[in-house]
Amino acid sequence: MKLVVQVKLLPSPGQASALEAPLRACNRAAAYASQVAFAKELKDRNGLQREVYTDLKATFGLSAQPVVRVVKKVVDAYAVLKANLQAGNLGPPTAKRYRKAVGTPIAFRPEAAQPFDDRCLSWQYDARTVSIWTIDGRMKGIRFACSPDQLKTLVAHRKGERDLVRRGGTWFLIATCDIPDPEVYEPTDWIGVDRGIVNLATTSDGTNHQGRRLSRYRRWQARKRAELQARQTRSATRRLARRAQLRQFCLGLPRELEEAAIVDGCGHWRVYWNIVLPMSRPILSALAILFFLANWNAFVWPLVATNDQSLTVVQLGIASFQTQYGSNWNYILAAATVAALPMLVLFFVFQRQIVESIKTSGLK
């Protein structure tokens, strides 16, 4: 089992400057190697290393082993990019992100993490110091800090590369530890709890406790969602988005308030009426406004459903000012202004609720 241990380096100002130089040099070398790999389509480690090995040593002042680490970092980056493309994580080939990813070489930040192996970095556990390769030679005596458990894990199980990372002006070393898998045993007298995703509670004998009411509600939600998705209309898409927005808002409500009310003796209905509903006023107000706007601006349904001129809505009235022989633009613009007034009034009256609901639900 792989486990990552992060330790904090405590370099002096002079040591910090010496650490920054090789980090930036390695990332400049990685950017150069990435451009060569992209231009010559060299994605294998041996081929790219033969192509750039001499240039990286001469141009960027790197020794042999850091050059090997830089080449491996570039090859790994292109391997990850290829996997993301194949998995569709960047969209279809026609997507802008996809075309940008395949059309430009991979770039490396000046302070991106740099991997080191045992020939570039060594540990002195008793003194809690490390020795790291730099452009000016080996730098020894860099102190590090970690918990006793982390130190014990490093001593017993450290294996593989270490990454030198600078984050927010602080230096870290991230080491990989290969820990033996724990012994498999049959658990007894325990309950595993899944908070509302699939099962609420499942005991070790396989008994599932989630309640008929919850199962029925989940099936109803899945059926409604499938019905809306099958319609493939703008109205159905809008309703799906509103349902998702309302659900996201409700998931963000503090569970502690509900639990405190239950402890005080409130039932489910009182928790909903006195806690959940008052806290949901912003999202309910915003959804009510959005539904009003959608119906206020509706054109096709009133055109199909009404034949009586006395029942004509304002959008149909605006359309009636346009004929095949001409348009009464003064009437059209005046009617459009009148039609926009209720929406403007609603926004200015309820703008606080709209902003609050969007901010809390995470809608982008």
Side-chain angles (χ1 to χ4, degrees):
M1 179 176 63
K2 299 292 185 182
L3 182 67
V4 173
V5 175
Q6 176 178 281
V7 301
K8 181 179 180 180
L9 295 181
L10 304 173
S12 64
Q15 291 174 333
S17 300
L19 284 176
E20 185 176 0
L23 188 65
R24 291 182 174 271
C26 288
N27 284 301
R28 289 197 303 269
Y32 173 79
S34 175
Q35 294 175 357
V36 174
F38 179 81
K40 300 187 177 182
E41 298 184 355
L42 296 173
K43 302 303 187 293
D44 64 294
R45 182 175 175 180
N46 292 333
L48 181 59
Q49 185 168 316
R50 284 194 301 267
E51 186 70 28
V52 301
Y53 182 83
T54 304
D55 292 340
L56 295 185
K57 291 188 66 176
T59 305
F60 301 100
L62 305 182
S63 58
Q65 200 59 29
V67 169
V68 174
R69 296 296 97 197
V70 166
V71 171
K72 186 177 184 301
K73 181 167 77 168
V74 173
V75 172
D76 290 344
Y78 277 101
V80 171
L81 175 61
K82 181 180 179 181
N84 283 326
L85 294 175
Q86 292 176 347
N89 296 333
L90 301 180
T94 56
K96 183 178 179 180
R97 290 181 62 197
Y98 187 102
R99 289 185 282 107
K100 182 179 180 180
V102 299
T104 56
I106 294 178
F108 293 88
R109 294 180 291 106
E111 295 185 354
Q114 175 61 30
F116 291 100
D117 58 12
D118 287 334
R119 282 172 280 189
C120 299
L121 188 149
S122 59
W123 302 77
Q124 294 79 45
Y125 299 114
D126 295 336
R128 293 208 177 190
T129 61
V130 293
S131 172
I132 304 178
W133 167 89
T134 66
I135 298 293
D136 299 326
R138 196 86 171 185
M139 183 168 56
K140 301 179 180 180
I142 303 176
R143 296 184 300 116
F144 69 87
C146 64
S147 68
D149 291 337
Q150 286 179 314
L151 183 60
K152 186 184 300 183
T153 303
L154 283 173
V155 173
H157 305 292
R158 183 189 60 79
K159 185 178 181 180
E161 297 179 346
R162 279 80 66 201
D163 289 346
L164 178 63
V165 180
R166 188 184 187 190
R167 187 186 307 128
T170 305
W171 293 92
F172 299 95
L173 276 177
I174 301 177
T176 303
C177 297
D178 193 357
I179 300 177
D181 293 331
E183 182 182 354
V184 179
Y185 64 94
E186 187 68 25
T188 58
D189 300 330
W190 64 278
I191 294 179
V193 178
D194 182 356
R195 299 189 64 182
I197 298 177
V198 178
N199 302 321
L200 291 184
T202 303
T203 58
S204 57
D205 59 359
T207 305
N208 182 17
H209 302 274
Q210 65 177 5
R212 296 176 58 186
R213 182 182 299 177
L214 178 61
S215 298
R216 188 163 55 247
Y217 175 75
R218 285 173 171 169
R219 289 195 298 270
W220 181 84
Q221 288 284 0
R223 186 172 63 253
K224 288 296 181 182
R225 186 166 57 249
E227 291 175 359
L228 291 174
Q229 291 172 345
R231 292 180 186 177
Q232 297 183 354
T233 61
R234 294 180 61 184
S235 175
T237 303
R238 187 164 54 245
R239 289 184 63 184
L240 280 172
R242 299 293 176 260
R243 286 167 61 92
Q245 186 180 0
L246 181 59
R247 179 179 181 275
Q248 187 68 26
F249 184 93
C250 293
L251 288 177
L253 295 179
R255 287 289 296 270
E256 291 78 6
L257 296 178
E258 301 178 33
E259 294 171 356
I262 293 175
V263 170
D264 289 339
C266 295
H268 294 293
W269 173 252
R270 190 169 181 184
V271 170
Y272 170 75
W273 185 260
N274 290 344
I275 296 179
V276 177
L277 192 59
M279 294 178 64
S280 301
R281 286 177 182 172
I283 187 65
L284 294 177
S285 302
L287 291 180
I289 294 170
L290 293 175
F291 276 117
F292 170 79
L293 295 181
N295 290 280
W296 178 263
N297 293 323
F299 176 80
V300 177
W301 175 245
L303 180 64
V304 174
T306 59
N307 294 322
D308 191 349
Q309 190 172 3
S310 62
L311 301 177
T312 299
V313 297
V314 63
Q315 282 71 21
L316 296 181
I318 293 175
S320 67
F321 291 130
Q322 289 183 307
T323 64
Q324 60 180 337
Y325 301 109
S327 301
N328 296 321
W329 291 108
N330 52 340
Y331 294 145
I332 292 175
L333 295 177
T337 303
V338 172
L341 287 178
M343 293 183 286
L344 292 175
V345 171
L346 278 176
F347 175 77
F348 285 115
V349 172
F350 296 102
Q351 61 178 332
R352 184 174 62 85
Q353 286 85 350
I354 295 175
V355 173
E356 184 67 24
S357 66
I358 293 176
K359 179 182 67 176
T360 308
S361 65
L363 182 66
K364 296 182 179 180

